[in-house]
Amino acid sequence: TSTFSPEQPAEVVHTEKATTLYRQCERNIWMGMIVPCRLCSPAEVRDADLQKILTEAHALYCLLHGSIQDMLATAGNLSVVNAYLGPFLNSYQKWLVEKNSGVLPDALSILNEMDCMKIFPSDRQLFLSCLSFSNSLMTAAGGQVEHVQVSYQDHVLHTTLDVGQAALVQRYISSVGLAATSKPKRSSPIISTWSFIDKESFMKYEGDGNPVLHIRSANRTDDTGEVSEAVRAPLKLLLYKCDSLLVMLLLRGDEDDVQRENALRSRLLQIVLQSSKSLSSSCSRTLASANGWHVPGYRYLFVDGMNLVTRASPKEKVATLSKDSLAFACKLRSELDNQARFPDQIEQEVCAKGNNHDTWVLVRRSDDRQLFVVLEKSAETLAEATEAIENFSQQEYQGLFSTD
């Protein structure tokens, strides 16, 4: 039929009871997902965000096991792939539903961007402290530490990974129950059992057999001896926590010398113990002075598509918006998705007001950066709403989205 055409394959199908989504994750390999409307109503969640769940599930699988195509080429049949893929997808689905007790996941909030990294805005002194801390870990390891990532309350302070990988690893850490705001679970739905020690508010996480992450690395060569960014290096994950500060290390495995690896971990532990307390205190002071990046009167989302970073109102503040406001904001963002975001247009401005409630939704775009603001009961006219977003742009983003 004209609705389902081979030239334009359907990626999303809406029915009365559910939304069905499809995505081609690799060549000749498709993933599908059925989302009941009772779990994620189309009025509350954009199709684009639901599709990102499929994207993330595939990316997490590749992070843990490598690509499906590579596994098929090695195994030669689907049974081996299903032995890994089936339990992983079941666990991922269980995590999405059970972690959120059947309610809308925070990642799917209308003022959130799943595939971007949440950054921790830091001053020069904090930035240099993180850089020095990272360098000391890399130096002490003698080349055994491939990557370092430091985050505070799930906002990344410093990372040696590329931004896309850093965002994915941060989501992975959250998905297995090791978020910086809570103690780890005794068992993870995606990997094996974890254990931890608690010493003077300091915790060390270590998985059974150490989970292996397959990270793209430009420093490793392929079978031809040429350096390739597509090469994935299996690396062991090690996590340290101090208060709300989380330090992630990706280590090159040394299966043949357990004693050497234990000595390395002991050195790394001492460095983390020496620096983590002061870093955590600095982050806490910065967060308090910035009021958690809450701007009174505004509920906002800033997305830098060029650098894949984001900043938004705290989720506790977003939760104060009415259902009508959230539904209206979701509808507007969905319409912008369908318009393909004006690929030839560098600047864009949208101002819309709900018909039955005092809510303004304002969108401004400058190059690959976008600001999305919801004003509830704070502006009566278009002029007042425009003035409010102008003030916000000047105050928070040095006039980046100003029209003057």
Side-chain angles (χ1 to χ4, degrees):
T1 66
S2 59
T3 303
F4 298 97
S5 169
E7 287 74 24
Q8 293 182 330
E11 294 184 341
V12 181
V13 178
H14 289 277
T15 63
E16 183 178 347
K17 295 183 177 180
T19 299
T20 304
L21 303 102
Y22 306 94
R23 179 183 179 274
Q24 185 174 10
C25 55
E26 297 181 27
R27 183 172 55 86
N28 297 327
I29 297 176
W30 288 76
M31 295 180 68
M33 180 173 67
I34 299 175
V35 183
C37 292
R38 59 177 174 77
L39 183 63
C40 289
S41 168
E44 298 176 320
V45 184
R46 295 184 301 150
D47 291 344
D49 282 337
L50 290 176
Q51 288 174 312
K52 287 175 184 177
I53 289 182
L54 284 176
T55 302
E56 181 186 80
H58 174 256
L60 281 176
Y61 179 83
C62 291
L63 186 71
L64 293 168
H65 304 293
S67 74
I68 299 175
Q69 288 281 7
D70 289 346
M71 187 172 287
L72 276 173
T74 303
N77 60 74
L78 287 172
S79 60
V80 175
V81 177
N82 287 334
Y84 287 92
L85 189 59
F88 170 82
L89 291 177
N90 288 335
S91 297
Y92 184 77
Q93 177 187 7
K94 181 180 179 182
W95 167 69
L96 278 176
V97 177
E98 289 192 358
K99 179 185 176 184
N100 296 281
S101 302
V103 300
L104 186 69
D106 293 334
L108 296 179
S109 167
I110 192 62
L111 295 182
N112 187 67
E113 198 71 15
M114 279 184 64
D115 51 1
C116 289
M117 180 177 70
K118 297 179 181 178
I119 58 170
F120 190 102
S122 56
D123 56 23
R124 184 174 183 273
Q125 182 177 356
L126 183 55
F127 169 78
L128 292 176
S129 297
C130 288
L131 183 61
S132 175
F133 176 54
S134 174
N135 289 339
S136 64
L137 289 169
M138 302 280 277
T139 301
Q144 288 297 105
V145 174
E146 182 110 347
H147 291 289
V148 178
Q149 184 160 308
V150 184
S151 60
Y152 188 85
Q153 292 190 1
D154 292 331
H155 287 69
V156 176
L157 278 151
H158 170 81
T159 184
T160 59
L161 290 163
D162 68 55
V163 177
Q165 291 179 331
L168 180 61
V169 170
Q170 193 66 34
R171 283 281 293 159
Y172 165 74
I173 293 172
S174 174
S175 72
V176 298
L178 296 177
T181 54
S182 61
K183 289 187 177 183
K185 300 174 182 177
R186 284 293 180 177
S187 61
S188 157
I190 297 180
I191 59 174
S192 55
T193 303
W194 290 74
S195 60
F196 67 95
I197 60 173
D198 192 340
K199 180 181 179 183
E200 297 177 355
S201 300
F202 175 83
M203 292 187 229
K204 168 187 172 184
Y205 304 110
E206 197 170 302
D208 293 347
N210 301 106
V212 174
L213 304 187
H214 297 258
I215 296 292
R216 294 187 303 275
S217 174
N219 298 322
R220 293 179 178 263
T221 59
D222 56 21
D223 294 337
T224 65
E226 298 293 329
V227 174
S228 171
E229 291 188 358
V231 173
R232 286 180 176 268
L235 302 172
K236 291 184 177 180
L237 172 66
L238 193 63
L239 299 173
Y240 298 95
K241 177 183 174 185
C242 177
D243 299 327
S244 292
L245 186 80
L246 197 65
V247 180
M248 180 213 72
L249 303 177
L250 288 173
L251 307 178
R252 295 176 184 172
D254 194 351
E255 303 292 347
D256 299 327
D257 195 340
V258 177
Q259 187 175 0
R260 179 185 176 189
E261 188 170 305
N262 289 337
L264 168 62
R265 296 187 183 200
S266 179
R267 292 198 303 272
L268 295 174
L269 177 62
Q270 291 303 315
I271 294 173
V272 173
L273 283 171
Q274 291 170 6
S275 304
S276 57
K277 279 288 185 182
S278 60
L279 277 177
S280 181
S281 298
S282 297
C283 291
S284 179
R285 289 194 299 270
T286 300
L287 190 64
S289 63
N291 195 23
W293 303 298
H294 167 58
V295 182
Y298 297 87
R299 303 296 182 266
Y300 68 94
L301 169 67
F302 166 72
V303 178
D304 185 340
M306 181 181 300
N307 298 305
L308 295 178
V309 298
T310 183
R311 177 181 155 192
S313 294
K315 62 181 181 181
E316 297 82 6
K317 299 299 182 180
V318 176
T320 63
L321 291 173
S322 68
K323 287 188 176 182
D324 286 341
S325 296
L326 290 172
F328 179 58
C330 179
K331 180 180 179 181
L332 180 59
R333 288 200 72 187
S334 297
E335 289 177 358
L336 293 178
D337 291 337
N338 295 333
Q339 293 174 11
R341 307 199 177 209
F342 304 98
D344 298 327
Q345 187 174 336
I346 297 178
E347 306 293 332
Q348 179 185 10
E349 180 177 10
V350 177
C351 301
K353 185 177 183 181
N355 292 328
N356 301 320
H357 43 88
D358 298 328
T359 300
W360 281 93
V361 178
L362 305 105
V363 183
R364 286 196 179 177
R365 174 187 171 192
S366 177
D367 294 326
D368 287 329
R369 299 177 177 90
Q370 190 176 52
L371 180 64
F372 193 90
V373 177
V374 180
L375 300 175
E376 195 172 56
K377 299 179 180 179
S378 59
E380 293 293 335
T381 65
L382 176 61
E384 291 175 340
T386 302
E387 182 181 2
I389 198 171
E390 284 286 340
N391 294 337
F392 184 83
S393 174
Q394 292 290 346
Q395 177 183 344
E396 300 296 325
Y397 296 102
Q398 292 76 51
L400 175 63
F401 297 98
S402 296
T403 55
D404 295 338

